[in-house]
Amino acid sequence: MIDNWIDDRYHLTELLDQGGTSLVFYAEDEETGDEVVIKILSPALAERPEYAEAFKKEAQVLSRLHHESIVRLLSTGDKGKLKYFTMERIEGETLKKALQEDSLSIAQKVKIAEKICGALDYAHRMGVVHKDLKPANILLKDDLDPVLLDFGISEAPAISKEEGKEIFGTVQYFSPEQARGEKVDKSTDIYSLGVILYEMMTGELPFFGEDSVSIALKHLHQVPVAPAKKNPQMPESLNRIILKSLQKEKGRRYHTMAALQKDLSRCLEEPDGAYVTEYKERKKRRFFKSRPRRYGFAILAGIVGALLLSFAVFVVLNTLGVLKGDSSGKVFVPSLTDKTLEEAEAILKGLDLTVAYSYQASGVTGEGYVISQSPEMGSFLDRGKTVSLVVSAGAELDKTVPSLKGMGEEDALRMLNDMGFINTLVTYVENTGLDDRIVVSQNPTAGEKFSTDNTVYLTVNRLGDGEVRNIPALVGKSIETALDEAADNGFGNVILTLSDTDSTPGIVLSQFPTTDMTESDFDTLYLTIQEPQGNYSVSGTLQYEGQFTEESVLVATIAFEVEGRHYEFIIAEGVFENSGEYATIYPSGLAYKAKVGNLSEDKGYTLRVYLNYEVVYTDYVP
């Protein structure tokens, strides 16, 4: 029971919120005459050390945060069962209410998000992660300046799941690592802000379901529908920013709030979003009868994707007037995938082409959007000819997932493939009490209805058939140290992707494989690093002439051999329909430039081209 007066000083006037651990009131401070907000730990929990300590730490967190967009702590009190702290009262409404009213323009939403980024960047630099970002915890003042509230789980105690379900975040805004119960860092706030941005721009959450478990699983395993498909009025730049923030892998999101804020500040002036890269989820390896455990560039390289390249070709050819036809009367067929049927029809009509279409169930491509086309992008057709489209009819959950637990890996993969489940991702554990190559768990579970376009996840037991290579923890280390440790642990090759963030030059930002993986046949480490210090850069033109007839993944690198270490910088990557498309994009060769710092100064290097993960071209540059 809480009296209307607290400490003979604060007069409670209105209950604002009552959560699992605390109560929040408006109150009048009789000493100052000010109206304040007071947060009180539930008396039933006040004598439990873990809750009392967590409440105390929340106040301590607020006491060291001094930012215009973070609520300000005024005072604290601790008298037995009465534990409280007071905060400034800010007039306004929550972002949640503003979104329900649908009263904000896109420009206003972007400005609000920029300021939220600024506040969180400050908090992160002060060593504080919010962990429970949601529109209800963001207050908008009359001038629409946001103020962050409720850092209550930034220092959450170790409490059982049953007791603590109210204080460990809100599942609709969970990051995948929160859903897995892992330790979280600033990447979690970046993901949660991505969810908020998605909701701000579309009016919907990226994932929803009947219960918390189903929503958490979607954060772990499903790719959200691109927000631009739900709100065609938003610029492509925002679409990419949101998708990049919502990457499942922490290392593929924005690395800092400052980097996210920087991209947001450009999005309205550069709406095409060309400056936002690596915003697509990493493609999952498809497993068939070939070696299902082999990993290639597709796992880490961050392939740009056919759509981006198609768009680039479309722009170039349009500029040259090719789309309007040439002397032979033929017209260039653009990429129509991921466009609505109406958009595709309008484009083809403008090119004097007709359209035929059929529908196909898809759990990946949104209903009404083009899945594929024939002829493919890059073809030339006579005017009046027909382009055939396959359009998504939405997910058709007509397949029952079989029971795979206890089955051999190869048999399980073959069964899934025969049933039409072509996307399967296998991870491995080592349990000496179980047979080798046996499926120990699966998601979705047996008997569940599931679209064949979605990914089935299997966990397979793999007993060591030799030395299991130690995978060093390299994130946060200098690239020089990382290369040394990679070599010391038997990794004969390191593939490097350069990133331009506000991080320390030459620092490793992410790695694959991660330290929790126990694959014994990894021989390559993939690292994303901040551009290193030093003035040494390499540049030139790669004269590789594409020789391929079907869609292929192409990755170009510059490779160095220094003191027994082998490492390569990725200089270009993409998915090309055929060699003709590659030649159109790079008619004079692939120009490259990469800053490699002092790692390889005055050393020769080798240009390499990988086509579908196999080396097809090398050229030594002294």
Side-chain angles (χ1 to χ4, degrees):
M1 183 73 178
I2 296 176
D3 294 330
N4 288 337
W5 284 88
I6 301 297
D7 240 359
D8 296 325
R9 174 177 175 177
Y10 301 102
H11 180 217
L12 306 184
T13 58
E14 181 182 348
L15 176 65
L16 297 177
D17 189 27
Q18 181 172 357
T21 62
S22 59
L23 302 95
V24 182
F25 294 87
Y26 279 143
E28 294 178 355
D29 184 344
E30 293 299 308
E31 287 189 9
T32 65
D34 295 332
E35 291 186 329
V36 299
V37 173
I38 185 168
K39 187 169 186 176
I40 304 169
L41 179 61
S42 172
L45 302 174
E47 292 183 344
R48 296 186 56 178
E50 65 271 31
Y51 286 96
E53 184 64 20
F55 193 78
K56 178 181 177 181
K57 285 185 176 181
E58 181 184 357
Q60 291 174 340
V61 164
L62 284 179
S63 70
R64 67 177 193 261
L65 297 179
H66 303 282
H67 190 279
E68 61 183 0
S69 293
I70 297 176
V71 67
R72 183 163 55 95
L73 180 75
L74 299 177
S75 66
T76 62
D78 187 349
K79 294 185 177 180
K81 289 187 176 182
L82 180 60
K83 302 180 189 299
Y84 68 89
F85 58 82
T86 65
M87 301 166 284
E88 62 180 328
R89 175 171 177 173
I90 301 169
E91 297 298 330
E93 64 180 12
T94 63
L95 176 60
K96 180 179 180 179
K97 185 175 181 182
L99 294 181
Q100 290 171 341
E101 295 170 349
D102 195 21
S103 58
L104 301 172
S105 67
I106 288 180
Q108 287 173 323
K109 293 172 182 177
V110 169
K111 186 58 65 177
I112 290 169
E114 283 185 62
K115 293 185 176 181
I116 294 171
C117 284
L120 288 167
D121 181 62
Y122 165 79
H124 292 170
R125 285 186 281 110
M126 295 295 290
V128 177
V129 180
H130 192 288
K131 302 180 187 176
D132 192 22
L133 286 175
K134 54 186 177 183
N137 283 342
I138 300 169
L139 191 68
L140 296 182
K141 297 191 287 189
D142 292 339
D143 59 3
L144 296 184
D145 280 351
V147 178
L148 300 184
L149 311 174
D150 201 354
F151 282 76
I153 67 168
S154 62
E155 296 288 346
I159 303 169
S160 74
K161 227 178 239 187
E162 288 301 312
E163 293 178 321
K165 62 183 180 180
E166 292 291 335
I167 69 166
F168 288 107
T170 306
V171 69
Q172 287 84 355
Y173 303 90
F174 258 12
S175 66
E177 53 270 23
Q178 279 178 301
R180 287 191 294 265
E182 298 174 351
K183 183 178 180 180
V184 300
D185 55 24
K186 61 185 179 182
S187 295
T188 281
D189 284 350
I190 291 170
Y191 184 93
S192 296
L193 185 54
V195 177
I196 294 172
L197 279 167
Y198 192 106
E199 185 178 10
M200 291 173 75
M201 298 303 162
T202 69
E204 299 179 14
L205 289 163
F207 305 115
F208 45 87
E210 295 181 357
D211 52 44
S212 296
V213 172
S214 64
I215 297 172
L217 286 173
K218 290 178 181 179
H219 281 296
L220 285 170
H221 302 302
Q222 286 194 11
V223 177
V225 175
K229 290 185 177 180
K230 294 187 175 183
N231 178 11
Q233 304 303 315
M234 65 183 292
E236 173 62 16
S237 52
L238 261 178
N239 183 60
R240 297 186 183 191
I241 288 169
I242 293 170
L243 291 175
K244 184 167 184 174
S245 302
L246 291 176
Q247 291 278 306
K248 304 297 184 191
E249 300 174 53
K250 295 196 298 184
R252 292 178 59 80
R253 299 173 205 153
Y254 287 96
H255 296 295
T256 64
M257 279 292 177
L260 173 54
Q261 184 181 32
K262 181 180 178 181
D263 276 7
L264 282 170
S265 70
R266 300 171 61 182
C267 70
L268 298 182
E269 295 181 359
E270 302 175 62
D272 63 358
Y275 63 93
V276 183
T277 59
E278 296 186 1
Y279 62 94
K280 289 190 174 183
E281 283 287 348
R282 200 187 306 280
K283 285 189 176 181
K284 306 299 185 188
R285 178 67 186 248
R286 290 184 174 184
F287 293 95
F288 299 102
K289 294 182 181 180
S290 59
R291 292 184 69 225
R293 291 167 38 252
R294 180 176 179 181
Y295 292 84
F297 277 108
I299 297 181
L300 179 122
I303 301 303
V304 176
L307 182 58
L308 286 175
L309 296 172
S310 301
F311 179 74
V313 174
F314 187 92
V315 172
V316 171
L317 293 176
N318 187 47
T319 302
L320 297 176
V322 176
L323 293 181
K324 298 178 181 178
D326 55 20
S327 58
S328 66
K330 293 182 181 294
V331 292
F332 177 86
V333 179
S335 172
L336 302 169
T337 56
D338 287 332
K339 291 181 171 56
T340 65
L341 175 60
E342 292 76 13
E343 291 169 341
E345 287 178 317
I347 291 171
L348 293 174
K349 182 179 179 181
L351 298 174
D352 294 332
L353 298 172
T354 60
V355 61
Y357 58 89
S358 59
Y359 286 95
Q360 175 181 307
S362 174
V364 176
T365 304
E367 185 175 355
Y369 286 81
V370 176
I371 299 173
S372 62
Q373 65 184 82
S374 178
E376 298 178 343
M377 178 280 235
S379 305
F380 285 87
L381 282 183
D382 292 325
R383 297 178 186 276
K385 292 293 185 180
T386 299
V387 176
S388 298
L389 306 176
V390 177
V391 182
S392 171
E396 184 178 335
L397 305 181
D398 59 352
K399 292 288 187 178
T400 301
V401 179
S403 176
L404 304 169
K405 188 175 179 180
M407 186 180 292
E409 177 185 5
E410 292 293 337
D411 290 339
L413 292 172
R414 187 179 300 108
M415 176 180 286
L416 289 171
N417 190 47
D418 291 345
M419 292 182 66
F421 292 100
I422 59 175
N423 297 314
T424 308
L425 184 63
V426 179
T427 57
Y428 296 91
V429 295
E430 184 173 2
N431 186 337
T432 56
L434 298 174
D435 291 338
D436 190 29
R437 304 292 179 174
I438 294 297
V439 177
V440 296
S441 67
Q442 66 182 83
N443 186 22
T445 56
E448 185 174 340
K449 293 287 188 179
F450 205 58
S451 168
T452 56
D453 286 328
N454 285 334
T455 301
V456 177
Y457 296 81
L458 301 179
T459 301
V460 172
N461 190 46
R462 182 184 177 196
L463 300 180
D465 51 6
E467 180 183 356
V468 177
R469 182 178 290 117
N470 178 56
I471 300 174
L474 303 177
V475 175
K477 296 183 178 180
S478 70
I479 184 57
E480 293 85 357
T481 300
L483 291 173
D484 287 339
E485 292 192 15
D488 291 343
N489 285 279
F491 287 94
N493 194 23
V494 178
I495 304 294
L496 303 169
T497 300
L498 290 172
S499 181
D500 182 15
T501 69
D502 294 330
S503 301
T504 305
I507 291 297
V508 177
L509 303 174
S510 65
Q511 72 177 79
F512 182 90
T514 54
T515 55
D516 59 341
M517 295 182 177
T518 58
E519 277 284 357
S520 64
D521 61 356
F522 280 124
D523 60 3
T524 300
L525 264 176
Y526 301 87
L527 304 178
T528 300
I529 68 169
Q530 173 66 16
E531 285 189 341
Q533 289 179 324
N535 298 320
Y536 183 56
S537 298
V538 296
S539 60
T541 302
L542 172 66
Q543 295 297 342
Y544 167 70
E545 296 181 1
Q547 302 271 330
F548 51 100
T549 58
E550 58 185 28
E551 181 178 276
S552 299
V553 178
L554 184 145
V555 180
T557 69
I558 46 176
F560 294 91
E561 298 281 351
V562 180
E563 297 177 353
R565 299 184 311 198
H566 178 91
Y567 51 95
E568 302 179 42
F569 288 88
I570 292 177
I571 54 175
E573 54 192 343
V575 179
F576 297 85
E577 295 289 336
N578 48 51
S579 58
E581 182 184 358
Y582 174 84
T584 302
I585 299 294
Y586 301 113
S588 302
L590 191 160
Y592 63 89
K593 183 176 183 180
K595 183 177 180 181
V596 297
N598 297 325
L599 287 173
S600 309
E601 192 166 3
D602 299 324
K603 304 287 185 182
Y605 58 90
T606 300
L607 289 168
R608 286 187 174 181
V609 175
Y610 295 80
L611 195 64
N612 296 328
Y613 324 120
E614 301 292 339
V615 177
V616 294
Y617 173 89
T618 60
D619 182 28
Y620 182 72
V621 180

PDB file of all heavy atoms in Angstrom, residues 250 292 309 344 555:
ATOM      1  N   LYS A 250      24.243  -8.966 -35.787  1.00  0.00           N
ATOM      2  CA  LYS A 250      24.619  -7.678 -35.204  1.00  0.00           C
ATOM      3  C   LYS A 250      25.666  -6.961 -36.043  1.00  0.00           C
ATOM      4  O   LYS A 250      25.612  -5.739 -36.206  1.00  0.00           O
ATOM      5  CB  LYS A 250      25.150  -7.863 -33.776  1.00  0.00           C
ATOM      6  CG  LYS A 250      24.128  -8.366 -32.791  1.00  0.00           C
ATOM      7  CD  LYS A 250      24.580  -8.165 -31.360  1.00  0.00           C
ATOM      8  CE  LYS A 250      25.839  -8.927 -31.039  1.00  0.00           C
ATOM      9  NZ  LYS A 250      26.211  -8.801 -29.616  1.00  0.00           N
ATOM     10  N   PRO A 292      26.550 -30.057 -47.861  1.00  0.00           N
ATOM     11  CA  PRO A 292      25.690 -29.041 -47.265  1.00  0.00           C
ATOM     12  C   PRO A 292      26.397 -28.161 -46.270  1.00  0.00           C
ATOM     13  O   PRO A 292      25.868 -27.146 -45.889  1.00  0.00           O
ATOM     14  CB  PRO A 292      24.599 -29.876 -46.568  1.00  0.00           C
ATOM     15  CG  PRO A 292      25.271 -31.164 -46.258  1.00  0.00           C
ATOM     16  CD  PRO A 292      26.227 -31.412 -47.392  1.00  0.00           C
ATOM     17  N   LEU A 309      21.955  -4.029 -58.918  1.00  0.00           N
ATOM     18  CA  LEU A 309      22.673  -3.986 -60.176  1.00  0.00           C
ATOM     19  C   LEU A 309      21.714  -3.743 -61.325  1.00  0.00           C
ATOM     20  O   LEU A 309      22.030  -3.005 -62.266  1.00  0.00           O
ATOM     21  CB  LEU A 309      23.429  -5.306 -60.377  1.00  0.00           C
ATOM     22  CG  LEU A 309      24.517  -5.556 -59.329  1.00  0.00           C
ATOM     23  CD1 LEU A 309      25.068  -6.959 -59.476  1.00  0.00           C
ATOM     24  CD2 LEU A 309      25.633  -4.539 -59.464  1.00  0.00           C
ATOM     25  N   ALA A 344       4.750  -2.898 -62.610  1.00  0.00           N
ATOM     26  CA  ALA A 344       5.369  -3.590 -63.737  1.00  0.00           C
ATOM     27  C   ALA A 344       4.571  -3.361 -65.018  1.00  0.00           C
ATOM     28  O   ALA A 344       5.148  -3.120 -66.091  1.00  0.00           O
ATOM     29  CB  ALA A 344       5.471  -5.084 -63.427  1.00  0.00           C
ATOM     30  N   VAL A 555      32.734 -12.029 -56.887  1.00  0.00           N
ATOM     31  CA  VAL A 555      33.437 -11.264 -55.860  1.00  0.00           C
ATOM     32  C   VAL A 555      34.858 -11.025 -56.348  1.00  0.00           C
ATOM     33  O   VAL A 555      35.537 -11.957 -56.772  1.00  0.00           O
ATOM     34  CB  VAL A 555      33.476 -12.010 -54.513  1.00  0.00           C
ATOM     35  CG1 VAL A 555      34.223 -11.186 -53.462  1.00  0.00           C
ATOM     36  CG2 VAL A 555      32.068 -12.321 -54.027  1.00  0.00           C
TER      37      VAL A 555
END
